[in-house]
Amino acid sequence: MTWRCTGIRWSDGVPAIGWCAEGRAERGSPLAYGQRLAFAARGERRCLGVRRAGKRTPCPTAATVPPRAGNAQCPECARLDRSFSVAADTNAADPRTYRVYLAWFGPEMVKVGITAEERGPARLLEQGAVTWTWLGRGPLMATRRTEELLRAALGVPDRIAYARKRAVRGHLPAAADRAREVAELHARAAALPGWPESLERLECAIADHAGPFGLDGLPAPARVVTAMVPGGAVTGRLIGAAGPDLHFADGLVVDSRLLAGWELVATDADADADADATTAVPVAELPPPAAPAGQDGLF
C-alpha cells in the first residue's frame, strides 16, 4: 500500500502533513517547531484524485503530475473538482452559511474573501493570512456579492501570490501596527453602502497568526524549493509554517503543495550535521501517520 502526501493541513492552529492511500481513511502527521526533519521522495508524483465532502475518489488512471505543478491533480480530476467548487462559482446552490473575511499578509497585501462558516479560520491559516477579521456572515450568494463589492471599493485583489507573501514574513511590522491597518480597513468597509440585506455584519475582532505560524524570529527566505524530484531529500530544523510553506532555520522554504502527490519516506538525519543546516532539495523527517490500534505504522 502506498501512502501519498497531500500537503499541509491546518487543524486548531496546528499544521500537519496529510496522507492518503486508496481504500484507507486519510491521516495526518502533526508538525512541531524546533523538530528536525528528514524525508525523501520515492517513485513518481501521482494525481491525488478528487476530494469532496471529506472523501477522496482516486484518479482512475493514476496519472503522473509534473514536479513543478502547484496542484497535484491531472487535468481531468482538476476539472471535476472545479465543477463542484464555490471558488469557481459552480456550486451556487450550496446551502451552508458563509463568512466574509478581511485578510492581511504584509504591507500593501490585503484581500477580501469568503469561507464556509463551519471551517472557522482554517481558510485563513491555509492562505498564510497573518492578521485578519470577519466582516459578515450569510448565504453563499450574499457573501459573494459582498466580497465583490468590498474588493472593488477597497481596491484590493482577489488573490496574492505566495511568493509575495513569503518574501516579507521575516520582517513584518509589529502586531499592533498590522492590527491597526486591518481595523481601519474594516471601518472603511463597514461604512460602504450597498451591502446585501441578507448579510449579517460582524464587528471588528482582530486575530493574529504570528503564534501558529512561528513568525517570531523567522529568518528571511534564502532559498525556495521549486520542484521535487525522485530521491530528492531535505534534512533540517523546522521553525515555522505559514499557509502551505514549511520554513527551516537556515532560510530554506519548502512549498508543501509541491510535496503533494509524492510518496515520502523517512530518512535518517545526520546526527553530526549542523542542526540548522538544510539540504537544498525537498525532504524531511516526518513522523509516519499514526496507525489505528492493532495496525502497523507506515514506515
Side-chain angles (χ1 to χ4, degrees), residues 12-71:
D12 297 325
V14 177
I17 293 296
W19 308 92
C20 70
E22 187 171 353
R24 303 293 293 273
E26 295 193 26
R27 302 176 183 172
S29 298
L31 296 170
Y33 302 148
Q35 75 180 116
R36 190 157 174 77
L37 301 181
F39 62 81
R42 182 162 65 187
E44 295 182 294
R45 189 185 190 194
R46 299 285 181 178
C47 174
L48 293 177
V50 177
R51 192 171 191 270
R52 189 179 308 124
K55 296 183 179 180
R56 190 179 299 274
T57 301
C59 176
T61 63
T64 58
V65 177
R68 294 180 181 272
N71 182 25

Side-chain angles (χ1 to χ4, degrees), residues 47 49-50 71 73-83:
C47 174
V50 177
N71 182 25
Q73 289 179 307
C74 67
E76 182 60 23
C77 286
R79 183 198 63 76
L80 183 60
D81 210 19
R82 289 185 66 81
S83 69

Side-chain angles (χ1 to χ4, degrees), residues 249-269:
D250 67 345
L252 179 73
V253 181
V254 177
D255 184 341
S256 71
R257 294 176 301 172
L258 301 176
L259 302 182
W262 286 97
E263 180 186 5
L264 299 180
V265 294
T267 62
D268 292 329

Side-chain angles (χ1 to χ4, degrees), residues 2-296:
T2 299
W3 287 84
R4 295 189 180 276
C5 177
T6 60
I8 285 185
R9 297 291 180 265
W10 288 87
S11 178
D12 297 325
V14 177
I17 293 296
W19 308 92
C20 70
E22 187 171 353
R24 303 293 293 273
E26 295 193 26
R27 302 176 183 172
S29 298
L31 296 170
Y33 302 148
Q35 75 180 116
R36 190 157 174 77
L37 301 181
F39 62 81
R42 182 162 65 187
E44 295 182 294
R45 189 185 190 194
R46 299 285 181 178
C47 174
L48 293 177
V50 177
R51 192 171 191 270
R52 189 179 308 124
K55 296 183 179 180
R56 190 179 299 274
T57 301
C59 176
T61 63
T64 58
V65 177
R68 294 180 181 272
N71 182 25
Q73 289 179 307
C74 67
E76 182 60 23
C77 286
R79 183 198 63 76
L80 183 60
D81 210 19
R82 289 185 66 81
S83 69
F84 291 88
S85 170
V86 169
D89 286 330
T90 54
N91 193 19
D94 191 330
R96 294 177 295 174
T97 297
Y98 277 76
R99 288 198 174 208
V100 188
Y101 60 80
L102 178 66
W104 185 96
F105 301 90
E108 300 183 3
M109 282 187 278
V110 180
K111 67 164 287 189
V112 174
I114 67 172
T115 184
E117 185 171 70
E118 63 193 37
R119 300 200 67 214
R123 182 62 178 152
L124 284 305
L125 290 161
E126 292 168 353
Q127 294 186 79
V130 178
T131 308
W132 61 278
T133 185
W134 299 121
L135 289 163
R137 62 186 296 275
L140 171 59
M141 296 314 295
T143 57
R144 179 65 84 197
R145 288 195 298 272
T146 304
E147 177 189 29
E148 296 299 331
L149 165 70
L150 299 182
R151 187 178 292 161
L154 298 178
V156 297
D158 60 348
R159 62 186 61 194
I160 299 172
Y162 282 106
R164 292 186 61 203
K165 298 175 188 177
R166 70 171 65 102
V168 300
R169 286 190 193 127
H171 45 85
L172 292 171
D177 294 331
R178 55 190 187 242
R180 181 167 52 253
E181 184 175 343
V182 173
E184 290 172 353
L185 284 169
H186 184 284
R188 285 177 56 194
L192 291 171
W195 287 54
E197 293 183 2
S198 58
L199 192 93
E200 175 188 351
R201 301 194 189 197
L202 298 175
E203 296 294 327
C204 183
I206 303 295
D208 196 278
H209 285 156
F213 290 165
L215 294 183
D216 292 341
L218 198 70
R223 297 167 295 151
V224 180
V225 170
T226 58
M228 286 293 289
V229 295
V234 166
T235 299
R237 185 165 62 89
L238 182 72
I239 60 170
D245 293 338
L246 299 174
H247 287 262
F248 290 83
D250 67 345
L252 179 73
V253 181
V254 177
D255 184 341
S256 71
R257 294 176 301 172
L258 301 176
L259 302 182
W262 286 97
E263 180 186 5
L264 299 180
V265 294
T267 62
D268 292 329
D270 185 355
D272 297 326
D274 182 345
D276 289 344
T278 310
T279 62
V281 189
V283 168
E285 184 183 83
L286 298 174
Q295 297 184 16
D296 293 333

